[in-house]
Amino acid sequence: MSAYLISLGAGILIGVFYALFKVRSPAPPGIALIGLLGMVLGASLVTGVAHLLGA
C-alpha cells in the first residue's frame, strides 16, 4: 500500500510542477490514460501470476 501512496504523491508533485511551469503533457490525455491503465493492469497481472506460482 505504501508504494501506491508514494506513486500517488509523486504523481501529484509532478502535476504541480507541470502546472507551475506550464508544461504540456507530451502525450494526448486519452493516450496517456490508456498507457496508465496498461501499466496498472500489467503490474496486477505480474503480481497475480507470481502469487499463483508461489514466488
Side-chain angles (χ1 to χ4, degrees):
M1 172 113 173
S2 65
Y4 291 114
L5 293 177
I6 291 170
S7 295
L8 177 63
I12 290 172
L13 185 63
I14 297 293
V16 168
F17 281 126
Y18 269 37
L20 289 175
F21 294 112
K22 297 181 180 161
V23 175
R24 299 222 2 115
S25 175
I31 294 173
L33 288 176
I34 291 170
L36 288 172
L37 177 62
M39 290 176 2
V40 168
L41 292 176
S44 297
L45 180 67
V46 169
T47 304
V49 169
H51 181 68
L52 286 174
L53 296 176

